[in-house]
Amino acid sequence: MYDMIIIGAGIGGLSAAIYARRFKLNVLVISKDIGGTTLEAHKVENYPSHTSISGIELMKKTEEHAKSQGVEIKVGTVEKTEKTKEGFEVDTGEARYKGKVLILAMGSERRKLDVDGEKDFLGKGVSYCATCDAPFFKDKVVGVVGGSDAAAQSALLVAEYAKKVYIIYRKDKMRAEPIHLENLENNDKIEFVYNANVIRVFGETFMKGVELDTGNKLELDGMFIEVGSVPSTALAIELGVDVDDTNYIKTDKEQKTNIPGVFSIGDVTDTPMRQAIVAAGQGAVASQSAYRFLKNG
């Protein structure tokens, strides 16, 4: 029986685990991967202590920190969670684990365009991770779909390899931070295609381009989709955790959910700002709340 089980090993989950160990709690972290969406960040430049660091390096350091504190991490996919008399039981299909309290830190999944050809050319030109795949498009023509900071950062990264990058966005102006916009506008390789939506991806063995709802077509060797994310809340909903109308988990200021002993942090919650530093802070708060719950009964 663990004092605490954390589902998710992103920066929020690992931060919660680090604080749990400082409270002398016996903690287990279970996740399908270690690092979460932060791994996909080409550069992180708004996290204190690091002027600029890759998402991969930041999460490597966070993982090392957690393990140095005695945090136990198991890689696996949680299939089911349920309430028991003693606390909670977590089932990965291969093993079952018991814990007195539960922290949900499952993060979010990439939102899809859901257009013709998107699935067909996944891994054959279509990608959701510029950090992972940008190097494969050296001297190619590439599109980036989206208008957020993530889209801006992806375009800047892809431009380091590609000979031409089109940013395709449905509105007439990107909503990325001013510093990112400035960098985009100053990059000769990058061109904006505003007021347009991709409605079809076409090609043969590999994608060759996209069709837009403007009636135009763009010849592209690849396309990175950055149109936001959806929360990974299926486990929480099955457990009976309250979610809002967009399926994000509802929490109070102590990261408590409606179920006693269940806390939630990071991108899976209804936080107004989904950033690594926010998830890390929520992890600290959730661990303290969980410690008080265990101490006071």
Side-chain angles (χ1 to χ4, degrees), residues 132-150:
C132 312
D133 298 333
F136 296 118
F137 294 91
K138 184 175 176 61
D139 298 325
K140 303 292 186 179
V141 178
V142 181
V144 174
V145 182
S148 65
D149 286 321

Side-chain angles (χ1 to χ4, degrees), residues 242-248 250 270:
D242 282 347
V243 298
D244 65 15
D245 56 3
T246 55
N247 280 342
Y248 286 96
K250 295 181 180 180
D270 58 353

Side-chain angles (χ1 to χ4, degrees), residues 131-205:
T131 304
C132 312
D133 298 333
F136 296 118
F137 294 91
K138 184 175 176 61
D139 298 325
K140 303 292 186 179
V141 178
V142 181
V144 174
V145 182
S148 65
D149 286 321
Q153 290 177 312
S154 291
L156 290 167
L157 171 58
V158 174
E160 294 181 15
Y161 302 92
K163 65 181 180 182
K164 181 72 176 181
V165 178
Y166 291 99
I167 296 179
I168 306 166
Y169 187 42
R170 59 189 175 87
K171 296 185 177 181
D172 60 2
K173 185 179 180 180
M174 291 190 72
R175 52 189 172 84
E177 291 181 6
I179 185 64
H180 294 320
L181 284 174
E182 182 180 338
N183 290 335
L184 292 172
E185 290 167 354
N186 290 335
N187 193 312
D188 294 336
K189 290 184 177 182
I190 296 174
E191 182 177 334
F192 299 95
V193 180
Y194 285 132
N195 299 308
N197 292 283
V198 173
I199 59 173
R200 184 172 71 94
V201 185
F202 61 85
E204 295 175 0
T205 303

Side-chain angles (χ1 to χ4, degrees), residues 83-94:
K83 186 79 173 69
T84 65
K85 290 182 179 180
E86 297 81 16
F88 301 90
E89 193 164 272
V90 176
D91 186 357
T92 65
E94 297 180 352

Side-chain angles (χ1 to χ4, degrees), residues 246-257:
T246 55
N247 280 342
Y248 286 96
I249 294 174
K250 295 181 180 180
T251 61
D252 66 10
K253 64 182 181 181
E254 295 181 320
Q255 305 305 136
K256 296 177 181 177
T257 70

Side-chain angles (χ1 to χ4, degrees), residues 99-113:
K100 297 176 183 176
V101 297
L102 197 61
I103 293 183
L104 305 177
M106 295 87 68
S108 57
E109 298 177 0
R110 295 288 188 158
R111 190 185 301 277
K112 310 298 191 297
L113 294 179

